[in-house]
Amino acid sequence: MRDNADFRRLFCASALSLTGDWFTFVALSGFVYRHTGSPGWTALLFAVNSLPGVVLLPLIGPLTDRVDRRRLRIACDLGAVVPVAGLLVAFHTRSVPLALGCLAVLSLAAAVASPIPEAALPNLVTSRELPLAQTVLGSLYSAGLLVGAGLGGVVCAAWGASATLVIDGASFAVSALLVARIGRPLSATVTTRRIRMRADTAELRAFVRATPVVSAFLWLTVGLRLCYGVVGLLPVYALDRFHAGDAGVGALYLAQGLGAVLGPFLGRRLVAGSMRRRLHTAGAALAVFGLGYLALAQVTALGPAMAAALIGHLGVGACAILAVNGLQLATPDHIRGRVMVLVFGLSSAFQGVSSLAVAPLAASIGMPGATRLSAGLAVVCAITWAIRVTRQDRPKNRQARAAADRLRG
């Protein structure tokens, strides 16, 4: 952070935009619940925030490898100001459909912008610095949740939802300015070859099939996000079960964020630079996520609920960041953008599907029942994935992981 100005700018740009996003999400959670009275609609926010970008996945991946990553990120940041302004109108007119539409547009911009820092990071730091740099950068999502959701609840309660939206819009503008000041290129090589979605997608598919470590981490991502929709019920726990208002929503998100910030650093210490340990630790972290939410379904007060959310998201943070860093280490630059977009796309798609499933489940069997079902699925996925990885731990796959370890330095 002190010696690498370009990394510092990328870090600060990502931190600002993510923090602003969580300010908005806290305000949206309360807005939608108050105007619909439905836990399902509140959980649906996660689906709307996840699924739209999946539709454009075959285009976004090649864009990240073929188009100047700096210009692409700046365009996304500046373009995101428009739907934020639309949310101000939606809040003023009390229009839930308009609010959901603006959130969908924001998710499209995020689908293009979010994979860029991970794809570009190996070009801004040395291979020896990469694991720590990715741990720090990857934990920004959680830190943005920790600061953005916690402060967002306070700001929303004190000054109203409109103030949170103004802060979000300003964060995008400052983020664009910081990215524009990054001196080093965000791509190792510049290509003038035009985007060919079918050929580029076929190349990506062949690479994933030929690289067992990459395939394993992608499957782990699917398992994590398939169960992640249960997180959309956190605002409902605060508002309906604990009767804690917007401040309670912020408190649960703050506990969630604290766990997810600490998880990557804990996971990094446990793997000790070994790809084999990374694989097994990431799977265990998925099980911790499920156990944390099983505990949440049992509690009846805000304090214990915060502890359960913190434990669950220790697992989320470790699992997600260990997977992303493993993919970075195993992927060359010319295809890294597509791999990062693929992992973000899989995360969005399965998180959205999970959120869509949680909504009717919460309405039919109640929040605790839906929480137990999703959390139990996470534990089952972790066990299944661990068995699969153990069976793959054979000489040829050990050689592939050893090559990734050597790439790390």
Side-chain angles (χ1 to χ4, degrees):
M1 290 291 288
R2 182 183 64 246
D3 300 331
N4 190 329
D6 287 335
F7 174 72
R8 186 168 63 247
R9 288 167 185 143
L10 182 67
F11 176 90
C12 292
S14 300
L16 283 169
S17 60
L18 284 170
T19 300
D21 283 347
W22 280 110
F23 265 60
T24 293
F25 205 82
V26 169
L28 265 175
S29 298
F31 172 79
V32 170
Y33 184 71
R34 288 192 182 91
H35 288 84
T36 64
S38 168
W41 274 93
T42 306
L44 189 63
L45 283 175
F46 271 86
V48 175
N49 196 39
S50 303
L51 289 178
V54 177
V55 178
L56 298 179
L57 187 62
L59 174 62
I60 295 171
L63 271 176
T64 310
D65 283 330
R66 308 286 181 227
V67 176
D68 184 284
R69 290 171 183 164
R70 180 188 292 102
R71 293 181 180 178
L72 191 59
R73 177 60 190 247
I74 292 170
C76 291
D77 282 343
L78 294 179
V81 176
V82 177
V84 170
L87 284 172
L88 280 169
V89 176
F91 280 25
H92 181 71
T93 60
R94 300 180 180 180
S95 172
V96 173
L98 178 58
L100 293 178
C102 291
L103 179 61
V105 176
L106 273 173
S107 78
L108 284 173
V112 180
S114 296
I116 292 175
E118 275 73 13
L121 185 60
N123 302 313
L124 300 181
V125 300
T126 67
S127 60
R128 188 174 297 276
E129 294 169 334
L130 180 60
L132 178 58
Q134 176 54 39
T135 298
V136 174
L137 186 65
S139 67
L140 273 181
Y141 177 85
S142 308
L145 170 60
L146 174 63
V147 177
L151 289 182
V154 174
V155 170
C156 191
W159 293 292
S162 296
T164 65
L165 297 179
V166 172
I167 293 171
D168 191 19
S171 73
F172 280 120
V174 177
S175 173
L177 178 62
L178 287 169
V179 173
R181 295 186 61 196
I182 294 176
R184 275 176 279 189
L186 302 187
S187 301
T189 58
V190 178
T191 177
T192 57
R193 185 161 69 86
R194 67 184 178 87
I195 294 172
R196 298 181 299 176
M197 288 190 290
R198 182 174 297 179
D200 289 337
T201 302
E203 183 183 9
L204 173 62
R205 187 184 301 115
F207 172 76
V208 171
R209 287 178 176 176
T211 316
V213 171
V214 170
S215 176
F217 281 126
L218 289 174
W219 276 112
L220 182 66
T221 298
V222 169
L224 173 63
R225 299 304 169 181
L226 187 62
C227 310
Y228 197 76
V230 68
V231 179
L233 295 176
L234 283 179
V236 189
Y237 272 96
L239 296 169
D240 190 52
R241 190 172 191 178
F242 308 134
H243 307 289
D246 285 331
V249 174
L252 277 182
Y253 277 139
L254 183 130
Q256 172 194 355
L258 179 60
V261 166
L262 297 176
F265 292 94
L266 177 61
R268 177 175 171 269
R269 286 188 173 275
L270 292 174
V271 300
S274 165
M275 188 63 76
R276 183 173 182 273
R277 288 185 184 178
R278 184 184 303 276
L279 286 162
H280 290 286
T281 301
L286 176 57
V288 171
F289 165 55
L291 294 174
Y293 272 81
L294 284 173
L296 176 66
Q298 301 300 119
V299 302
T300 56
L302 182 61
M306 291 175 65
L310 187 149
I311 291 170
H313 286 271
L314 281 170
V316 172
C319 180
I321 301 307
L322 288 174
V324 169
N325 188 225
L327 290 169
Q328 286 175 324
L329 291 169
T331 308
D333 183 77
H334 76 277
I335 202 171
R336 191 183 302 121
R338 276 167 283 173
V339 171
M340 291 298 107
V341 169
L342 177 60
V343 74
F344 274 86
L346 288 172
S347 297
S348 297
F350 283 93
Q351 183 171 307
V353 169
S354 179
S355 298
L356 289 173
V358 164
L361 278 173
S364 60
I365 64 176
M367 285 189 302
T371 303
R372 292 188 192 99
L373 188 61
S374 296
L377 179 60
V379 176
V380 171
C381 286
I383 294 171
T384 303
W385 188 84
I387 293 172
R388 179 176 182 270
V389 167
T390 300
R391 287 177 177 175
Q392 284 188 342
D393 193 18
R394 294 169 183 168
K396 66 177 183 178
N397 293 325
R398 290 190 194 125
Q399 291 172 5
R401 287 195 293 273
D405 288 338
R406 288 195 297 272
L407 178 62
R408 179 183 178 273

